[in-house]
Amino acid sequence: MLRREARLRREYLYRKAREEAQRTAQEKKERLRRALEENRLIPTELRREALALQGSLEFDDAGGEGVTSHVDDEYRWAGVEDPKIMITTSRDPSSRLKMFAKELKLVFPGAQRMNRGRHEVGALVRACKANGVTDLLVVHEHRGTPVGLIVSHLPFGPTAYFTLCNVIMRHDIPDLGTMSEAKPHLIMHGFSSRLGKRVSLGVGAGGCRAGLELGLASNSLFSFLLPQVSDILRYLFPVPKDDSRRVITFANQDDYISFRHHTYKKTDHRHVELTEVGPRFELKLYMIRLGTLEQEATADVEWRWHPYTNTAHKRVFLSAE
């Protein structure tokens, strides 16, 4: 089992390393194809290899999706199979952290909650991989207040680290009633940079999901290979049914992602009544690692928020606006 995981990991890293070369070759072929179709001169830098590129163009499929990225391996079955979520806490959790983990279990349809006990992170990740878990969520606290959330996508990553703030749990609101466990519709708002939003090839679930995605601009400050934060969040949820009355919103403003949970009902043909279900909190992304949670010491850091850099208090990363 360990040898198989090591082999799959090496193959995945090799495919990721080959992406840039494949993408450069694809861009050259696209430039040559456009020049030939528009009857223009071939660009000077492509003239020496124009014959070889034209020969390879003949073997490209008309309906091909271009160069695939490592995100295709990370979210290969997104939208095809329902995600399998495992939620746990830091060691020796307080009663409030246990309550928050229980509420998160109700937020994600089909999620399971596990008592941490004395289990090490490596043992948790290995057990999750063996049981087909797609995402491992770990909640941290400070003096009884939830302050951190780690989302580790299995089996290869990425792992996103969030700070939690302004947490209001359902237990803090009296007489709130029960929570629907239907598969929710998603609203993703404000993820418009390359870090926040990127079109990932080969992932078909995004087009099937009922929701709003606002903003398509790109931010040239970030590498094309950075994981899409909206994908990390949206693929924690299965594809909903059309008649679902449950809505979950991830709204980004100034790099703070507001989580809101509502149900709705139509009062008449023009009006819709929203009812907040809870919990509510804000997420602040501060790091993304390529590997899984147990590889924290060795995995590459894909992106990190540096508060000490110039103009850090004014810069936003998840939105290009």
Side-chain angles (χ1 to χ4, degrees), residues 206-255:
C208 302
R209 190 173 307 279
L212 300 177
E213 297 180 11
L214 306 178
L216 297 174
S218 63
N219 191 336
S220 59
L221 293 175
F222 304 103
S223 168
F224 185 83
L225 299 179
L226 284 173
Q228 181 177 340
V229 176
S230 59
D231 273 353
I232 295 174
L233 296 175
R234 90 175 67 205
Y235 291 137
L236 297 174
F237 299 89
V239 178
K241 296 182 179 180
D242 293 338
D243 57 352
S244 176
R245 293 290 185 257
R246 189 179 172 198
V247 181
I248 287 180
T249 304
F250 290 97
N252 171 50
Q253 184 175 7
D254 296 333
D255 284 353

Side-chain angles (χ1 to χ4, degrees), residues 82 102-112 170 177-185 237-241 244-248 261-263 277-278:
D82 288 348
K102 181 180 178 181
E103 294 182 6
L104 284 183
K105 175 184 175 296
L106 298 177
V107 167
F108 302 102
Q112 297 293 323
R170 287 171 47 84
T178 59
M179 180 191 295
S180 171
E181 295 190 26
K183 297 177 181 178
H185 298 288
F237 299 89
V239 178
K241 296 182 179 180
S244 176
R245 293 290 185 257
R246 189 179 172 198
V247 181
I248 287 180
H261 185 192
H262 295 85
T263 58
V277 181

Side-chain angles (χ1 to χ4, degrees), residues 86-94 97-98 101 113-124 136-141:
M86 180 63 68
I87 301 173
T88 188
T89 63
S90 55
R91 288 180 175 174
D92 193 18
S94 64
L97 189 65
K98 292 179 181 178
R113 182 171 61 92
M114 180 177 61
N115 293 328
R116 175 68 180 272
R118 296 186 178 182
H119 297 295
E120 295 181 353
V121 173
L124 287 177
L136 174 63
L137 275 63
V138 183
V139 189
H140 294 276
E141 67 175 340

Side-chain angles (χ1 to χ4, degrees), residues 245-246 262-268 271-275:
R245 293 290 185 257
R246 189 179 172 198
H262 295 85
T263 58
Y264 73 91
K265 63 178 180 179
K266 294 182 179 179
T267 56
D268 52 45
H271 299 88
V272 174
E273 180 179 336
L274 282 177
T275 302

Side-chain angles (χ1 to χ4, degrees), residues 18 36 58 67 101 124 137 157 164 238 242 248 252 260 307 315:
R18 291 284 300 166
L36 294 176
E58 298 176 358
V67 179
L124 287 177
L137 275 63
L164 284 172
D242 293 338
I248 287 180
N252 171 50
R260 297 295 183 267
R315 295 175 62 187

